[in-house]
Amino acid sequence: MKNTDIILKSKIYNDYLNELEYLERDRFFCRHNYEHFVSVARICYILKLEEDVDVDKDMIYSTALLHDLGRVLEIKEGINHAIASVDLAREILKLTDFSKEEKERILNCIGAHRSKDLAEDEFFNIFYRADKLSRPCFRCPAYKECNWDFNKKNHTINY
């Protein structure tokens, strides 16, 4: 996964990831950290295989690493993190060898990752589901205080 490795080794990515993990260090609810990013990637890859979705593993992992990075700007400046993540991802993706079309697909997926509306691109749909499935609600200390609807919470491990 050449492009994923480029992202993981880049200074800009690590600076934002470290800042995000610092800013959310005392967050009671689900955190947006490396563990979450990799969980989303792994679940999305399983869904890709199970449902035969046309998306490359490198693209899945790169998207997952970048999809919530904008939380830094949401916390600091109040900018919607899906929008902020697209802006940050656009800069970081310049370091990669993804084609222009692949970069646009990644950016569009990041921008839509909070929307449950069915998209034409099946990658967006499995990514949305993976993001939600990655949360182990049944083990969360914030379970009772969480604003997720009971039916939306993960009560068992599926992936």
Side-chain angles (χ1 to χ4, degrees), residues 4-64:
T4 298
D5 287 339
I6 290 169
I7 292 168
L8 280 173
K9 292 175 183 173
S10 72
K11 181 178 181 345
I12 186 172
Y13 177 76
N14 282 285
D15 287 349
Y16 275 106
L17 178 60
N18 290 336
E19 185 173 10
L20 177 58
E21 289 176 340
Y22 177 78
L23 290 170
E24 289 198 348
R25 70 193 177 285
D26 297 324
R27 182 176 162 92
F28 184 54
F29 298 100
C30 297
R31 292 189 181 137
H32 302 83
N33 54 23
Y34 180 76
E35 181 180 333
H36 169 61
F37 298 166
V38 172
S39 292
V40 171
R42 290 176 176 150
I43 293 169
C44 190
Y45 190 66
I46 292 168
L47 293 171
K48 172 256 190 305
L49 294 173
E50 287 182 350
E51 300 176 21
D52 195 29
V53 175
D54 183 23
V55 62
D56 178 77
K57 183 178 180 182
D58 199 15
M59 186 177 290
I60 290 171
Y61 274 77
S62 294
T63 305

Side-chain angles (χ1 to χ4, degrees), residues 67-80:
H67 84 283
D68 279 335
L69 212 55
R71 281 277 302 148
V72 170
L73 298 176
E74 186 171 62
I75 293 166
K76 292 172 74 173
E77 301 174 25
I79 300 169
N80 176 296

Side-chain angles (χ1 to χ4, degrees), residues 117-158:
D117 297 331
L118 291 177
E120 286 184 29
D121 189 334
E122 201 53 39
F123 172 40
F124 298 7
N125 296 323
I126 64 169
F127 193 87
Y128 170 83
R129 288 173 31 225
D131 190 27
K132 303 306 175 237
L133 288 166
S134 71
R135 300 302 191 176
C137 302
F138 59 90
R139 298 246 332 125
C140 183
Y143 182 90
K144 290 180 182 175
E145 291 83 3
C146 180
N147 66 2
W148 273 20
D149 179 84
F150 177 83
N151 294 320
K152 189 176 179 181
K153 291 179 181 173
N154 298 307
H155 302 282
T156 61
I157 188 166
N158 295 310

